[in-house]
Amino acid sequence: MADYAISPAQQRAIDQVNTYSAHNYKPLPVVIATADGARVRDIDGREYIDCLAAYSAVNFGHQNAQLLKAAEKQLHTLTLTSRAFYSEPFGPFVQDLAELCGKDMVLPMNSGAEAVETAIKTARKWAYESKGVPDGQAEIIVMAGNFHGRTTTIVSFSDDPEARQSFSPFTPGFRTVPFGDAAALEAAIGENTAAVLLEPIQGEAGVIIPPAGFLTEVRAITSRHNVLMIADEIQSGLARAGETFACDREGVVPDLYVLGKALGGGIMPVSAVVADRDILGLFQPGQHGSTFGGNPLACAIGSEVVEILRTGEMQEASRRKGARLAAAFKPLVAEGHLTAVRQAGLWLGLDVHPSLGTARDICYRLLDKGVLAKDTHTKTIRFAPPLVISDAELEEVIEHSIAAFEGAAADRD
Ligand SMILES: *Cc1c(COP(=O)(O)O)cnc(C)c1O
């Protein structure tokens, strides 16, 4: 493994975290102090290019001037009322987001997991009150390899043993089918199926892209059986995959969009479920809520995020820069450094050849060269830099990454 030197100052900061914070993450040993665009700086002043972008929560760049301006204005005006009252930025935000999605209504929450929980409750409510499923029988079909968050209900239908171990008893009402298998999905649908919940591209699983036409088939199958299609676009959406939504890659419109991460512009946790009136209109006062959901600061930022997405510039940048990265990395498969390169927009999953070590070993080498990337599932490195990364920075990432793979191969030989 490459030796990444941890300075005394960084070591002290890391020790403090390890002493006082629960160890529910295993971060790379870098303590970030400041950031701008695609660059971050550690507490010793060393610079890195951020190729994770907080799991796509920072799609529009660190310290994005347009988003900061909107946030600062709101910060000094009104930040929290709760939904007990109306607030000035709330109406514009829900209208902006509904229009971006081509839907009627928005239900705002905070974290991604809360939005997924909201979508599950929405689908069950719709099944009982609209479809006529007998009480207590509603079922939701999910995909193998899914990641939808960390709440007790959500880990109930995860197939990652680490996510579930010691957290039982689990919530019933879910059934799992292989991701990308439309026939298995259709076979799993029964009279009591409320919804199919899926990530159009599985992010945490390693940027797993389903076979072409799968989303189109899911849409056709769910429509045919009067089952809701719920697209968890928390990581794949908002320009990451080269379109406003990853579903747009096949021209598919789900019944519910679940959004989060980049919706908060890297400033605030902002999430939402977006759907038509016949679905979200089922909620009556008191049936669901959140103290912070739809707060004025979140709304001001969310509206500005929608504004950024309106021009299509971010989507175009995502496609163009992603194609460049993929073209640079694909030859590494023939060279035996990688076993696969998957790409959708500026979102790549690289599978490291086992002879080079684990993906985490490579991430240490990248760190040493000033590139922050994150491993997922032992063999995969995810590259998802902010979409505003400059062309020069992108070339730097390519140069350092190739050097990291070649270094690992040289040390092996
Ligand atoms: C990150 C993520 C979530 C959970 O979001 P949190 O804000 O961490 O709760 C849910 N679904 C997908 C697809 C995600 O990538």
Side-chain angles (χ1 to χ4, degrees):
M1 193 189 291
D3 295 317
Y4 170 74
I6 302 172
S7 73
Q10 294 213 65
Q11 192 59 61
R12 276 195 300 278
I14 290 167
D15 290 345
Q16 184 180 39
V17 170
N18 286 338
T19 305
Y20 293 105
S21 162
H23 296 184
N24 55 326
Y25 279 88
K26 191 177 158 202
L28 288 167
V30 55
V31 183
I32 298 167
T34 61
D36 182 22
R39 288 196 182 260
V40 304
R41 213 165 283 107
D42 71 19
I43 55 174
D44 301 320
R46 191 176 167 209
E47 272 201 352
Y48 306 79
I49 300 177
D50 179 4
C51 285
L52 181 64
Y55 304 91
S56 291
V58 189
N59 277 1
F60 314 117
H62 294 279
Q63 302 287 303
N64 179 295
Q66 189 178 340
L67 292 172
L68 276 191
K69 191 169 163 228
E72 267 166 13
K73 182 160 170 270
Q74 194 59 46
L75 194 57
H76 297 288
T77 311
L78 174 73
T79 51
L80 190 60
T81 55
S82 85
R83 296 278 311 275
F85 313 106
Y86 294 83
S87 78
E88 195 175 10
F90 187 63
F93 170 60
V94 287
Q95 181 173 354
D96 289 346
L97 186 58
E99 286 173 2
L100 181 79
C101 297
K103 298 287 187 192
D104 297 337
M105 292 179 132
V106 172
L107 203 171
M109 299 294 286
N110 310 286
S111 68
E114 281 179 308
V116 172
E117 288 275 351
T118 302
I120 291 167
K121 288 173 73 175
T122 304
R124 288 178 170 181
K125 196 167 174 46
W126 174 85
Y128 300 130
E129 296 178 10
S130 179
K131 182 169 174 167
V133 170
D135 197 34
Q137 302 297 306
E139 209 169 63
I140 294 176
I141 299 175
V142 300
M143 301 291 140
N146 70 71
F147 180 84
H148 296 287
R150 300 296 198 168
T151 64
T152 30
T153 286
I154 293 172
V155 300
S156 296
F157 57 85
S158 168
D159 51 21
D160 176 358
E162 264 182 341
R164 293 164 55 90
Q165 178 71 44
S166 301
F167 299 129
S168 62
F170 296 118
T171 309
F174 300 94
R175 182 190 285 233
T176 307
V177 300
F179 185 54
D181 187 340
L185 168 63
E186 185 153 31
I189 290 177
E191 279 180 2
N192 298 332
T193 306
V196 173
L197 167 64
L198 82 173
E199 300 154 85
I201 294 172
Q202 291 187 331
E204 295 311 299
V207 191
I208 307 295
I209 303 167
F214 175 65
L215 298 175
T216 308
E217 286 187 86
V218 172
R219 178 66 283 182
I221 291 165
T222 48
S223 297
R224 190 153 67 235
H225 293 277
N226 191 28
V227 165
L228 298 177
M229 177 178 179
I230 307 174
D232 178 348
E233 295 254 19
I234 290 169
Q235 193 167 155
S236 60
L238 310 186
R240 175 51 65 188
E243 302 285 347
T244 304
F245 303 109
C247 283
D248 294 340
R249 287 159 49 90
E250 291 193 17
V252 162
V253 179
D255 297 298
L256 289 85
Y257 287 105
V258 187
L259 303 175
K261 292 201 167 109
L263 190 58
I267 301 173
M268 284 274 288
V270 183
S271 70
V273 170
V274 188
D276 278 337
R277 198 169 308 281
D278 58 331
I279 299 167
L280 275 181
L282 294 171
F283 279 102
Q284 299 302 317
Q287 295 178 343
H288 191 59
S290 160
T291 303
F292 288 91
N295 70 76
L297 185 54
C299 290
I301 294 166
S303 279
E304 206 61 37
V305 165
V306 172
E307 185 63 31
I308 285 175
L309 288 166
R310 265 202 200 109
T311 67
E313 259 171 77
M314 289 290 170
Q315 295 86 328
E316 205 278 325
S318 176
R319 289 193 295 274
R320 183 176 64 76
K321 294 169 187 175
R324 169 66 191 126
L325 262 195
F329 288 144
K330 276 191 176 143
L332 299 180
V333 176
E335 285 178 35
H337 298 338
L338 299 176
T339 57
V341 174
R342 294 176 295 276
Q343 177 242 338
L346 190 46
W347 200 22
L348 284 88
L350 310 186
D351 290 347
V352 176
H353 193 284
S355 72
L356 297 196
T358 62
R360 195 168 173 89
D361 295 337
I362 301 290
C363 286
Y364 270 96
R365 287 178 184 274
L366 289 169
L367 179 64
D368 193 40
K369 294 180 186 305
V371 174
L372 301 186
K374 177 70 173 63
D375 53 303
T376 183
H377 293 290
T378 316
K379 69 171 201 287
T380 305
I381 307 177
R382 172 176 27 195
F383 278 84
L387 306 174
V388 299
I389 188 171
S390 72
D391 291 336
E393 287 165 341
L394 203 59
E395 295 308 315
E396 251 183 84
V397 167
I398 290 167
E399 185 190 321
H400 290 319
S401 304
I402 291 174
F405 290 118
E406 285 174 349
D411 288 354
R412 169 200 59 196
D413 298 335

